[in-house]
Amino acid sequence: MTNQTLEAPRPVLVVDFGAQYAQLIARRVREAGVYSELVPHTITAAEVLAKKPLGLVLSGGPSSVYAEGAPTFDDSIFELGIPTFGICYGFQVMAQALGGVVGHTGDREYGATDVVLSNTADAILQGQPVEQNVWMSHGDAVQQAPEGFEVLASTAVTPVAAFGSKERRMYGVQWHPEVKHSDHGQALLENFLRFIADIPAEWNAENVIEDQVARIRAQVGDGKVICGLSGGVDSAVAAALVHRAVGDQLTCVFVDHGLLRQGEREQVEVDYVASTGVRLVTVDAREKFLTALQGVTDPETKRKIIGREFIRTFEEAEAQLVAEAAESDGSPIRFLVQGTLYPDVVESGGGSGTANIKSHHNVGGLPEDLTFELVEPLRTLFKDEVREIGRQLGLPEVIVSRQPFPGPGLGIRIIGEVTEDRLETLRAADAIAREELTAAGLDAEIWQCPVVLLADVRSVGVQGDGRTYGHPIVLRPVSSEDAMTADWTRLPYDVLARISNKITNQVPDVNRVVLDVTSKPPGTIEWE
Ligand code: XMP
């Protein structure tokens, strides 16, 4: 393997000015077949140069360029000759730095807005309709384009809604091309990447696999590797990549903590193993977890116990594997695979502004004092890319398209003490809900649909001739882009009716099904 192959790919840098849209922009650039990286707005010209970017995209931001504490930017970056595309706040930063005028007009534009393009002969506007509907969100506006820049679009209240200079390869738009509400937004971004920055569309799952396999081989050599599988997408794809790279140097460990949903253990033990050929050790820790959770109702305590037991169990399994490995040929296990994703990297300090660390989501993570070297083949990837890579690697669709599921599993979806009977009840109800949602073709519309058992609540019902005194099941279908915010999904009534009927008919002890109609915030996605 030559060093050349292992050099980081040259990225388009997406400068994060603190808007929720920066990650979305980075994803859209990749959807256009171009590798992108998020960088904070505090990046210096030297740091930009060191990354050898093929282009820059400046994101939107929450502030006015004149507001106190507004995110700053090193203006000399505009002198580096890098093709640049400014969006919303980024467009205004560009205008101001290059000698244009940004002002507070008092006219704000929020939401769907009609824009009229003025020169569709310019390469960046190629194929774009002259009149189109775009998504706006701004108070300030560019009042005058910088010298040498041509005004390329306007709206009823914003005379300079886009400008550009072919010579300097710099363009900007006031609207948000990255959101789906902007009708031709993706095409516009692609025009910038293809025709202005001249970047070929070469970022795709196949190339990423090839590149990661090379990197893993270079890192691991002939060393031994272990990986904890959770049943989720990330660890499954990470392990499959490592297996593709170093085969049986990898051993996977799967802890069955008894808080899994119906069929999940089989999906890993049978389907996943069949499709990848990985060596798998399953640890049956169901008893141990149930015992540790006995009598516990407080959600934080549950999380702590589950996290602690998980670490202990994994450590025991790992110690055994290390001992076995040392015995067999004397070579130790040196590496541990983790399915860390790009948003985790950015959110824990790689980016800025939007950082929002979900510390409690590390439950089910691994002990900190392990002395392994980490192998993290998904560190540069977004979730949808990880799924695509999983598909390319031939993983079962149930795993690849699995919706998010919390590490502590059903343990936090039983409100009250966790017992085997209650787990069985919840598993049955959850399986019905999932089956019906899938059958109705709704999986893509739903981010996830926690099914919750209110084990400490009972209410009177009537079934057949008798009165019942059973528990409610809560359905919590949500739509979301990133789980930070969410809205409840408006599921068709007939689907809800089928789920409700089936659950109350088939699941003992459940006599009501209720729907959660709360957005996040104020509610969280999970009930705990
Ligand atoms: P909340 O309930 O905070 O959840 O709105 C946001 C997202 O995080 C998932 N979640 C977890 N994921 N380990 C995980 O891997 C956890 O401990 C955990 N707790 C919540 C939740 O399902 C939702 O997608």
Side-chain angles (χ1 to χ4, degrees), residues 303 358-364 403-409 412-413 447-448 450 476 478 482-484 486 520 523-528:
R303 279 181 174 278
K358 297 184 265 181
S359 61
H360 73 283
H361 296 169
N362 294 332
V363 174
Q403 291 167 341
F405 183 63
I412 57 162
R413 292 187 181 169
W447 170 265
Q448 67 189 120
R476 172 69 167 139
V478 292
D482 55 10
M484 299 287 192
K520 172 185 178 176
T524 49
I525 293 176
E526 299 290 343
W527 281 49
E528 309 192 21

PDB file of all heavy atoms in Angstrom, residues 303 358-364 403-409 412-413 447-448 450 476 478 482-484 486 520 523-528, ligand 1:
ATOM      1  N   ARG A 303     -30.479   3.323  33.301  1.00  0.00           N
ATOM      2  CA  ARG A 303     -29.439   3.559  32.301  1.00  0.00           C
ATOM      3  C   ARG A 303     -28.056   3.243  32.862  1.00  0.00           C
ATOM      4  O   ARG A 303     -27.225   2.632  32.191  1.00  0.00           O
ATOM      5  CB  ARG A 303     -29.455   5.027  31.854  1.00  0.00           C
ATOM      6  CG  ARG A 303     -30.506   5.344  30.806  1.00  0.00           C
ATOM      7  CD  ARG A 303     -30.413   6.806  30.424  1.00  0.00           C
ATOM      8  NE  ARG A 303     -31.296   7.127  29.330  1.00  0.00           N
ATOM      9  CZ  ARG A 303     -31.015   6.910  28.044  1.00  0.00           C
ATOM     10  NH1 ARG A 303     -29.866   6.373  27.712  1.00  0.00           N
ATOM     11  NH2 ARG A 303     -31.887   7.217  27.105  1.00  0.00           N
ATOM     12  N   LYS A 358     -24.652  14.528  22.890  1.00  0.00           N
ATOM     13  CA  LYS A 358     -25.643  13.649  23.493  1.00  0.00           C
ATOM     14  C   LYS A 358     -24.923  12.660  24.401  1.00  0.00           C
ATOM     15  O   LYS A 358     -24.761  11.506  24.062  1.00  0.00           O
ATOM     16  CB  LYS A 358     -26.408  12.916  22.386  1.00  0.00           C
ATOM     17  CG  LYS A 358     -27.189  13.860  21.501  1.00  0.00           C
ATOM     18  CD  LYS A 358     -28.004  13.099  20.488  1.00  0.00           C
ATOM     19  CE  LYS A 358     -27.286  12.974  19.178  1.00  0.00           C
ATOM     20  NZ  LYS A 358     -28.021  12.272  18.155  1.00  0.00           N
ATOM     21  N   SER A 359     -24.468  13.168  25.541  1.00  0.00           N
ATOM     22  CA  SER A 359     -23.611  12.327  26.367  1.00  0.00           C
ATOM     23  C   SER A 359     -24.317  11.064  26.841  1.00  0.00           C
ATOM     24  O   SER A 359     -23.740   9.997  26.895  1.00  0.00           O
ATOM     25  CB  SER A 359     -23.115  13.126  27.562  1.00  0.00           C
ATOM     26  OG  SER A 359     -24.218  13.531  28.334  1.00  0.00           O
ATOM     27  N   HIS A 360     -25.606  11.200  27.164  1.00  0.00           N
ATOM     28  CA  HIS A 360     -26.265  10.023  27.718  1.00  0.00           C
ATOM     29  C   HIS A 360     -26.426   8.930  26.684  1.00  0.00           C
ATOM     30  O   HIS A 360     -26.745   7.809  26.999  1.00  0.00           O
ATOM     31  CB  HIS A 360     -27.616  10.386  28.341  1.00  0.00           C
ATOM     32  CG  HIS A 360     -28.685  10.709  27.348  1.00  0.00           C
ATOM     33  ND1 HIS A 360     -28.736  11.913  26.689  1.00  0.00           N
ATOM     34  CD2 HIS A 360     -29.737   9.981  26.909  1.00  0.00           C
ATOM     35  CE1 HIS A 360     -29.798  11.921  25.888  1.00  0.00           C
ATOM     36  NE2 HIS A 360     -30.423  10.763  25.996  1.00  0.00           N
ATOM     37  N   HIS A 361     -26.191   9.260  25.427  1.00  0.00           N
ATOM     38  CA  HIS A 361     -26.336   8.240  24.400  1.00  0.00           C
ATOM     39  C   HIS A 361     -25.135   7.318  24.325  1.00  0.00           C
ATOM     40  O   HIS A 361     -25.099   6.412  23.523  1.00  0.00           O
ATOM     41  CB  HIS A 361     -26.597   8.884  23.043  1.00  0.00           C
ATOM     42  CG  HIS A 361     -27.899   9.619  23.044  1.00  0.00           C
ATOM     43  ND1 HIS A 361     -28.270  10.460  22.045  1.00  0.00           N
ATOM     44  CD2 HIS A 361     -28.893   9.639  23.948  1.00  0.00           C
ATOM     45  CE1 HIS A 361     -29.456  10.964  22.332  1.00  0.00           C
ATOM     46  NE2 HIS A 361     -29.847  10.483  23.487  1.00  0.00           N
ATOM     47  N   ASN A 362     -24.171   7.589  25.205  1.00  0.00           N
ATOM     48  CA  ASN A 362     -23.029   6.687  25.211  1.00  0.00           C
ATOM     49  C   ASN A 362     -23.278   5.434  26.020  1.00  0.00           C
ATOM     50  O   ASN A 362     -22.457   4.555  26.086  1.00  0.00           O
ATOM     51  CB  ASN A 362     -21.792   7.397  25.741  1.00  0.00           C
ATOM     52  CG  ASN A 362     -21.387   8.498  24.797  1.00  0.00           C
ATOM     53  OD1 ASN A 362     -21.663   8.393  23.607  1.00  0.00           O
ATOM     54  ND2 ASN A 362     -20.784   9.537  25.314  1.00  0.00           N
ATOM     55  N   VAL A 363     -24.445   5.379  26.644  1.00  0.00           N
ATOM     56  CA  VAL A 363     -24.788   4.170  27.373  1.00  0.00           C
ATOM     57  C   VAL A 363     -24.700   3.010  26.392  1.00  0.00           C
ATOM     58  O   VAL A 363     -25.165   3.100  25.260  1.00  0.00           O
ATOM     59  CB  VAL A 363     -26.214   4.260  27.935  1.00  0.00           C
ATOM     60  CG1 VAL A 363     -26.603   2.935  28.558  1.00  0.00           C
ATOM     61  CG2 VAL A 363     -26.281   5.360  28.958  1.00  0.00           C
ATOM     62  N   GLY A 364     -24.106   1.936  26.834  1.00  0.00           N
ATOM     63  CA  GLY A 364     -23.925   0.833  25.908  1.00  0.00           C
ATOM     64  C   GLY A 364     -22.606   0.997  25.174  1.00  0.00           C
ATOM     65  O   GLY A 364     -22.218   0.184  24.373  1.00  0.00           O
ATOM     66  N   GLN A 403     -34.120   1.533  11.963  1.00  0.00           N
ATOM     67  CA  GLN A 403     -34.272   2.869  12.521  1.00  0.00           C
ATOM     68  C   GLN A 403     -33.509   2.936  13.845  1.00  0.00           C
ATOM     69  O   GLN A 403     -33.173   1.912  14.417  1.00  0.00           O
ATOM     70  CB  GLN A 403     -35.764   3.162  12.716  1.00  0.00           C
ATOM     71  CG  GLN A 403     -36.444   3.313  11.362  1.00  0.00           C
ATOM     72  CD  GLN A 403     -37.952   3.292  11.435  1.00  0.00           C
ATOM     73  OE1 GLN A 403     -38.523   2.838  12.412  1.00  0.00           O
ATOM     74  NE2 GLN A 403     -38.583   3.770  10.382  1.00  0.00           N
ATOM     75  N   PRO A 404     -33.231   4.159  14.329  1.00  0.00           N
ATOM     76  CA  PRO A 404     -32.463   4.263  15.574  1.00  0.00           C
ATOM     77  C   PRO A 404     -33.152   3.515  16.721  1.00  0.00           C
ATOM     78  O   PRO A 404     -34.376   3.478  16.779  1.00  0.00           O
ATOM     79  CB  PRO A 404     -32.467   5.771  15.861  1.00  0.00           C
ATOM     80  CG  PRO A 404     -32.833   6.423  14.590  1.00  0.00           C
ATOM     81  CD  PRO A 404     -33.621   5.464  13.796  1.00  0.00           C
ATOM     82  N   PHE A 405     -32.326   2.927  17.555  1.00  0.00           N
ATOM     83  CA  PHE A 405     -32.840   2.193  18.706  1.00  0.00           C
ATOM     84  C   PHE A 405     -31.860   2.443  19.848  1.00  0.00           C
ATOM     85  O   PHE A 405     -30.647   2.342  19.663  1.00  0.00           O
ATOM     86  CB  PHE A 405     -32.907   0.703  18.358  1.00  0.00           C
ATOM     87  CG  PHE A 405     -33.499  -0.155  19.446  1.00  0.00           C
ATOM     88  CD1 PHE A 405     -34.818   0.025  19.846  1.00  0.00           C
ATOM     89  CD2 PHE A 405     -32.734  -1.142  20.058  1.00  0.00           C
ATOM     90  CE1 PHE A 405     -35.373  -0.772  20.846  1.00  0.00           C
ATOM     91  CE2 PHE A 405     -33.279  -1.938  21.060  1.00  0.00           C
ATOM     92  CZ  PHE A 405     -34.597  -1.750  21.451  1.00  0.00           C
ATOM     93  N   PRO A 406     -32.347   2.821  21.024  1.00  0.00           N
ATOM     94  CA  PRO A 406     -31.410   3.201  22.090  1.00  0.00           C
ATOM     95  C   PRO A 406     -30.594   2.024  22.612  1.00  0.00           C
ATOM     96  O   PRO A 406     -31.094   0.899  22.668  1.00  0.00           O
ATOM     97  CB  PRO A 406     -32.330   3.745  23.187  1.00  0.00           C
ATOM     98  CG  PRO A 406     -33.670   3.168  22.897  1.00  0.00           C
ATOM     99  CD  PRO A 406     -33.742   2.952  21.415  1.00  0.00           C
ATOM    100  N   GLY A 407     -29.351   2.302  22.997  1.00  0.00           N
ATOM    101  CA  GLY A 407     -28.485   1.272  23.559  1.00  0.00           C
ATOM    102  C   GLY A 407     -29.140   0.497  24.699  1.00  0.00           C
ATOM    103  O   GLY A 407     -29.082  -0.733  24.728  1.00  0.00           O
ATOM    104  N   PRO A 408     -29.786   1.191  25.673  1.00  0.00           N
ATOM    105  CA  PRO A 408     -30.409   0.476  26.787  1.00  0.00           C
ATOM    106  C   PRO A 408     -31.693  -0.261  26.386  1.00  0.00           C
ATOM    107  O   PRO A 408     -32.350  -0.858  27.230  1.00  0.00           O
ATOM    108  CB  PRO A 408     -30.735   1.580  27.802  1.00  0.00           C
ATOM    109  CG  PRO A 408     -30.018   2.782  27.334  1.00  0.00           C
ATOM    110  CD  PRO A 408     -29.827   2.656  25.865  1.00  0.00           C
ATOM    111  N   GLY A 409     -32.024  -0.176  25.111  1.00  0.00           N
ATOM    112  CA  GLY A 409     -33.088  -1.016  24.555  1.00  0.00           C
ATOM    113  C   GLY A 409     -34.437  -0.847  25.222  1.00  0.00           C
ATOM    114  O   GLY A 409     -34.824   0.238  25.668  1.00  0.00           O
ATOM    115  N   ILE A 412     -35.551   1.007  28.740  1.00  0.00           N
ATOM    116  CA  ILE A 412     -36.040   2.362  29.014  1.00  0.00           C
ATOM    117  C   ILE A 412     -37.405   2.613  28.370  1.00  0.00           C
ATOM    118  O   ILE A 412     -37.960   3.695  28.493  1.00  0.00           O
ATOM    119  CB  ILE A 412     -35.037   3.452  28.567  1.00  0.00           C
ATOM    120  CG1 ILE A 412     -34.699   3.323  27.088  1.00  0.00           C
ATOM    121  CG2 ILE A 412     -33.774   3.414  29.429  1.00  0.00           C
ATOM    122  CD1 ILE A 412     -34.073   4.587  26.508  1.00  0.00           C
ATOM    123  N   ARG A 413     -37.956   1.610  27.685  1.00  0.00           N
ATOM    124  CA  ARG A 413     -39.294   1.791  27.109  1.00  0.00           C
ATOM    125  C   ARG A 413     -40.371   1.123  27.954  1.00  0.00           C
ATOM    126  O   ARG A 413     -41.544   1.091  27.571  1.00  0.00           O
ATOM    127  CB  ARG A 413     -39.333   1.288  25.668  1.00  0.00           C
ATOM    128  CG  ARG A 413     -38.510   2.156  24.753  1.00  0.00           C
ATOM    129  CD  ARG A 413     -38.663   1.787  23.305  1.00  0.00           C
ATOM    130  NE  ARG A 413     -37.833   2.652  22.469  1.00  0.00           N
ATOM    131  CZ  ARG A 413     -37.598   2.439  21.182  1.00  0.00           C
ATOM    132  NH1 ARG A 413     -38.138   1.390  20.589  1.00  0.00           N
ATOM    133  NH2 ARG A 413     -36.843   3.271  20.492  1.00  0.00           N
ATOM    134  N   TRP A 447     -38.946   8.498  11.280  1.00  0.00           N
ATOM    135  CA  TRP A 447     -37.563   8.442  11.776  1.00  0.00           C
ATOM    136  C   TRP A 447     -37.425   7.212  12.673  1.00  0.00           C
ATOM    137  O   TRP A 447     -36.522   6.418  12.536  1.00  0.00           O
ATOM    138  CB  TRP A 447     -37.270   9.725  12.530  1.00  0.00           C
ATOM    139  CG  TRP A 447     -36.001   9.725  13.291  1.00  0.00           C
ATOM    140  CD1 TRP A 447     -35.852   9.424  14.614  1.00  0.00           C
ATOM    141  CD2 TRP A 447     -34.700  10.048  12.795  1.00  0.00           C
ATOM    142  NE1 TRP A 447     -34.527   9.544  14.958  1.00  0.00           N
ATOM    143  CE2 TRP A 447     -33.804   9.927  13.871  1.00  0.00           C
ATOM    144  CE3 TRP A 447     -34.211  10.436  11.544  1.00  0.00           C
ATOM    145  CZ2 TRP A 447     -32.433  10.173  13.736  1.00  0.00           C
ATOM    146  CZ3 TRP A 447     -32.848  10.687  11.414  1.00  0.00           C
ATOM    147  CH2 TRP A 447     -31.978  10.544  12.504  1.00  0.00           C
ATOM    148  N   GLN A 448     -38.356   7.084  13.602  1.00  0.00           N
ATOM    149  CA  GLN A 448     -38.451   5.881  14.428  1.00  0.00           C
ATOM    150  C   GLN A 448     -39.784   5.915  15.151  1.00  0.00           C
ATOM    151  O   GLN A 448     -40.427   6.962  15.218  1.00  0.00           O
ATOM    152  CB  GLN A 448     -37.315   5.780  15.443  1.00  0.00           C
ATOM    153  CG  GLN A 448     -37.357   6.841  16.516  1.00  0.00           C
ATOM    154  CD  GLN A 448     -36.110   6.852  17.392  1.00  0.00           C
ATOM    155  OE1 GLN A 448     -35.407   7.844  17.467  1.00  0.00           O
ATOM    156  NE2 GLN A 448     -35.838   5.758  18.082  1.00  0.00           N
ATOM    157  N   PRO A 450     -40.832   4.567  18.695  1.00  0.00           N
ATOM    158  CA  PRO A 450     -40.792   3.843  19.953  1.00  0.00           C
ATOM    159  C   PRO A 450     -42.189   3.347  20.349  1.00  0.00           C
ATOM    160  O   PRO A 450     -43.175   4.050  20.130  1.00  0.00           O
ATOM    161  CB  PRO A 450     -40.290   4.901  20.944  1.00  0.00           C
ATOM    162  CG  PRO A 450     -39.486   5.841  20.116  1.00  0.00           C
ATOM    163  CD  PRO A 450     -40.204   5.893  18.794  1.00  0.00           C
ATOM    164  N   ARG A 476     -45.247   6.104  19.557  1.00  0.00           N
ATOM    165  CA  ARG A 476     -44.564   7.391  19.488  1.00  0.00           C
ATOM    166  C   ARG A 476     -43.868   7.530  18.128  1.00  0.00           C
ATOM    167  O   ARG A 476     -42.623   7.524  18.030  1.00  0.00           O
ATOM    168  CB  ARG A 476     -43.554   7.458  20.647  1.00  0.00           C
ATOM    169  CG  ARG A 476     -42.602   8.641  20.668  1.00  0.00           C
ATOM    170  CD  ARG A 476     -43.307   9.917  20.955  1.00  0.00           C
ATOM    171  NE  ARG A 476     -42.428  11.028  21.272  1.00  0.00           N
ATOM    172  CZ  ARG A 476     -42.634  12.270  20.800  1.00  0.00           C
ATOM    173  NH1 ARG A 476     -43.670  12.525  20.019  1.00  0.00           N
ATOM    174  NH2 ARG A 476     -41.834  13.239  21.161  1.00  0.00           N
ATOM    175  N   VAL A 478     -42.264   9.341  15.158  1.00  0.00           N
ATOM    176  CA  VAL A 478     -41.759  10.698  14.936  1.00  0.00           C
ATOM    177  C   VAL A 478     -41.061  10.831  13.590  1.00  0.00           C
ATOM    178  O   VAL A 478     -40.495   9.876  13.062  1.00  0.00           O
ATOM    179  CB  VAL A 478     -40.773  11.157  16.045  1.00  0.00           C
ATOM    180  CG1 VAL A 478     -41.475  11.340  17.367  1.00  0.00           C
ATOM    181  CG2 VAL A 478     -39.590  10.215  16.169  1.00  0.00           C
ATOM    182  N   ASP A 482     -32.565  14.615  12.364  1.00  0.00           N
ATOM    183  CA  ASP A 482     -31.347  14.304  13.106  1.00  0.00           C
ATOM    184  C   ASP A 482     -31.595  13.956  14.572  1.00  0.00           C
ATOM    185  O   ASP A 482     -30.649  13.897  15.353  1.00  0.00           O
ATOM    186  CB  ASP A 482     -30.400  15.505  13.044  1.00  0.00           C
ATOM    187  CG  ASP A 482     -31.076  16.783  13.540  1.00  0.00           C
ATOM    188  OD1 ASP A 482     -32.195  16.677  14.090  1.00  0.00           O
ATOM    189  OD2 ASP A 482     -30.491  17.863  13.393  1.00  0.00           O
ATOM    190  N   ALA A 483     -32.851  13.775  14.953  1.00  0.00           N
ATOM    191  CA  ALA A 483     -33.229  13.418  16.327  1.00  0.00           C
ATOM    192  C   ALA A 483     -33.065  14.563  17.331  1.00  0.00           C
ATOM    193  O   ALA A 483     -33.442  14.431  18.484  1.00  0.00           O
ATOM    194  CB  ALA A 483     -32.498  12.174  16.845  1.00  0.00           C
ATOM    195  N   MET A 484     -32.491  15.687  16.897  1.00  0.00           N
ATOM    196  CA  MET A 484     -32.358  16.833  17.808  1.00  0.00           C
ATOM    197  C   MET A 484     -33.735  17.478  18.002  1.00  0.00           C
ATOM    198  O   MET A 484     -34.083  17.920  19.087  1.00  0.00           O
ATOM    199  CB  MET A 484     -31.420  17.891  17.224  1.00  0.00           C
ATOM    200  CG  MET A 484     -30.032  17.398  16.987  1.00  0.00           C
ATOM    201  SD  MET A 484     -29.177  17.211  18.545  1.00  0.00           S
ATOM    202  CE  MET A 484     -27.531  16.975  17.945  1.00  0.00           C
ATOM    203  N   ALA A 486     -37.942  16.971  16.521  1.00  0.00           N
ATOM    204  CA  ALA A 486     -38.793  15.981  15.849  1.00  0.00           C
ATOM    205  C   ALA A 486     -40.242  16.436  15.910  1.00  0.00           C
ATOM    206  O   ALA A 486     -40.615  17.249  16.759  1.00  0.00           O
ATOM    207  CB  ALA A 486     -38.644  14.619  16.528  1.00  0.00           C
ATOM    208  N   LYS A 520     -40.819  17.362  19.569  1.00  0.00           N
ATOM    209  CA  LYS A 520     -39.602  17.511  20.383  1.00  0.00           C
ATOM    210  C   LYS A 520     -38.892  18.769  19.933  1.00  0.00           C
ATOM    211  O   LYS A 520     -38.525  18.840  18.763  1.00  0.00           O
ATOM    212  CB  LYS A 520     -38.676  16.314  20.186  1.00  0.00           C
ATOM    213  CG  LYS A 520     -37.318  16.530  20.874  1.00  0.00           C
ATOM    214  CD  LYS A 520     -36.324  15.423  20.610  1.00  0.00           C
ATOM    215  CE  LYS A 520     -34.996  15.761  21.285  1.00  0.00           C
ATOM    216  NZ  LYS A 520     -34.005  14.710  21.177  1.00  0.00           N
ATOM    217  N   GLY A 523     -41.294  17.441  24.173  1.00  0.00           N
ATOM    218  CA  GLY A 523     -41.104  16.038  24.557  1.00  0.00           C
ATOM    219  C   GLY A 523     -39.781  15.526  24.018  1.00  0.00           C
ATOM    220  O   GLY A 523     -39.248  16.081  23.060  1.00  0.00           O
ATOM    221  N   THR A 524     -39.210  14.486  24.582  1.00  0.00           N
ATOM    222  CA  THR A 524     -38.095  13.799  23.943  1.00  0.00           C
ATOM    223  C   THR A 524     -38.704  12.730  23.033  1.00  0.00           C
ATOM    224  O   THR A 524     -39.925  12.524  23.052  1.00  0.00           O
ATOM    225  CB  THR A 524     -37.172  13.117  24.977  1.00  0.00           C
ATOM    226  OG1 THR A 524     -37.992  12.360  25.861  1.00  0.00           O
ATOM    227  CG2 THR A 524     -36.379  14.142  25.758  1.00  0.00           C
ATOM    228  N   ILE A 525     -37.875  12.078  22.253  1.00  0.00           N
ATOM    229  CA  ILE A 525     -38.401  11.016  21.388  1.00  0.00           C
ATOM    230  C   ILE A 525     -38.744   9.796  22.239  1.00  0.00           C
ATOM    231  O   ILE A 525     -39.845   9.255  22.158  1.00  0.00           O
ATOM    232  CB  ILE A 525     -37.381  10.656  20.283  1.00  0.00           C
ATOM    233  CG1 ILE A 525     -37.229  11.846  19.327  1.00  0.00           C
ATOM    234  CG2 ILE A 525     -37.829   9.409  19.532  1.00  0.00           C
ATOM    235  CD1 ILE A 525     -36.176  11.662  18.253  1.00  0.00           C
ATOM    236  N   GLU A 526     -37.807   9.380  23.061  1.00  0.00           N
ATOM    237  CA  GLU A 526     -38.061   8.233  23.936  1.00  0.00           C
ATOM    238  C   GLU A 526     -38.916   8.658  25.122  1.00  0.00           C
ATOM    239  O   GLU A 526     -38.826   9.791  25.592  1.00  0.00           O
ATOM    240  CB  GLU A 526     -36.730   7.669  24.466  1.00  0.00           C
ATOM    241  CG  GLU A 526     -35.785   7.172  23.392  1.00  0.00           C
ATOM    242  CD  GLU A 526     -36.258   5.904  22.696  1.00  0.00           C
ATOM    243  OE1 GLU A 526     -37.145   5.210  23.237  1.00  0.00           O
ATOM    244  OE2 GLU A 526     -35.748   5.618  21.604  1.00  0.00           O
ATOM    245  N   TRP A 527     -39.726   7.723  25.596  1.00  0.00           N
ATOM    246  CA  TRP A 527     -40.321   7.848  26.931  1.00  0.00           C
ATOM    247  C   TRP A 527     -39.386   7.069  27.829  1.00  0.00           C
ATOM    248  O   TRP A 527     -38.859   6.049  27.439  1.00  0.00           O
ATOM    249  CB  TRP A 527     -41.684   7.162  26.976  1.00  0.00           C
ATOM    250  CG  TRP A 527     -42.826   7.922  26.383  1.00  0.00           C
ATOM    251  CD1 TRP A 527     -42.860   8.525  25.167  1.00  0.00           C
ATOM    252  CD2 TRP A 527     -44.107   8.111  26.984  1.00  0.00           C
ATOM    253  NE1 TRP A 527     -44.100   9.078  24.971  1.00  0.00           N
ATOM    254  CE2 TRP A 527     -44.882   8.833  26.074  1.00  0.00           C
ATOM    255  CE3 TRP A 527     -44.666   7.728  28.202  1.00  0.00           C
ATOM    256  CZ2 TRP A 527     -46.197   9.192  26.338  1.00  0.00           C
ATOM    257  CZ3 TRP A 527     -45.973   8.072  28.469  1.00  0.00           C
ATOM    258  CH2 TRP A 527     -46.726   8.816  27.540  1.00  0.00           C
ATOM    259  N   GLU A 528     -39.135   7.543  29.003  1.00  0.00           N
ATOM    260  CA  GLU A 528     -38.285   6.734  29.887  1.00  0.00           C
ATOM    261  C   GLU A 528     -38.884   6.715  31.270  1.00  0.00           C
ATOM    262  O   GLU A 528     -39.548   7.640  31.663  1.00  0.00           O
ATOM    263  CB  GLU A 528     -36.869   7.309  29.982  1.00  0.00           C
ATOM    264  CG  GLU A 528     -36.256   7.568  28.632  1.00  0.00           C
ATOM    265  CD  GLU A 528     -34.760   7.852  28.702  1.00  0.00           C
ATOM    266  OE1 GLU A 528     -34.132   7.470  29.690  1.00  0.00           O
ATOM    267  OE2 GLU A 528     -34.249   8.448  27.759  1.00  0.00           O
TER     268      GLU A 528
HETATM  269  P1  XMP B   1     -34.373  11.522  22.893  1.00  0.00           P
HETATM  270  O1  XMP B   1     -35.237  10.592  23.654  1.00  0.00           O
HETATM  271  O2  XMP B   1     -33.302  12.161  23.737  1.00  0.00           O
HETATM  272  O3  XMP B   1     -33.622  10.638  21.821  1.00  0.00           O
HETATM  273  O4  XMP B   1     -35.172  12.544  22.124  1.00  0.00           O
HETATM  274  C1  XMP B   1     -32.929  11.113  20.710  1.00  0.00           C
HETATM  275  C2  XMP B   1     -32.434   9.926  19.901  1.00  0.00           C
HETATM  276  O5  XMP B   1     -31.458   9.182  20.621  1.00  0.00           O
HETATM  277  C3  XMP B   1     -31.851   7.831  20.769  1.00  0.00           C
HETATM  278  N1  XMP B   1     -31.382   7.384  22.084  1.00  0.00           N
HETATM  279  C4  XMP B   1     -30.286   6.638  22.269  1.00  0.00           C
HETATM  280  N2  XMP B   1     -29.413   6.097  21.395  1.00  0.00           N
HETATM  281  N3  XMP B   1     -28.209   5.146  23.185  1.00  0.00           N
HETATM  282  C5  XMP B   1     -28.378   5.337  21.862  1.00  0.00           C
HETATM  283  O6  XMP B   1     -27.593   4.818  21.075  1.00  0.00           O
HETATM  284  C6  XMP B   1     -29.028   5.668  24.124  1.00  0.00           C
HETATM  285  O7  XMP B   1     -28.835   5.483  25.313  1.00  0.00           O
HETATM  286  C7  XMP B   1     -30.128   6.453  23.642  1.00  0.00           C
HETATM  287  N4  XMP B   1     -31.132   7.106  24.253  1.00  0.00           N
HETATM  288  C8  XMP B   1     -31.892   7.687  23.283  1.00  0.00           C
HETATM  289  C9  XMP B   1     -33.353   7.861  20.628  1.00  0.00           C
HETATM  290  O8  XMP B   1     -33.859   6.595  20.238  1.00  0.00           O
HETATM  291  C10 XMP B   1     -33.527   8.923  19.594  1.00  0.00           C
HETATM  292  O9  XMP B   1     -33.263   8.417  18.297  1.00  0.00           O
END
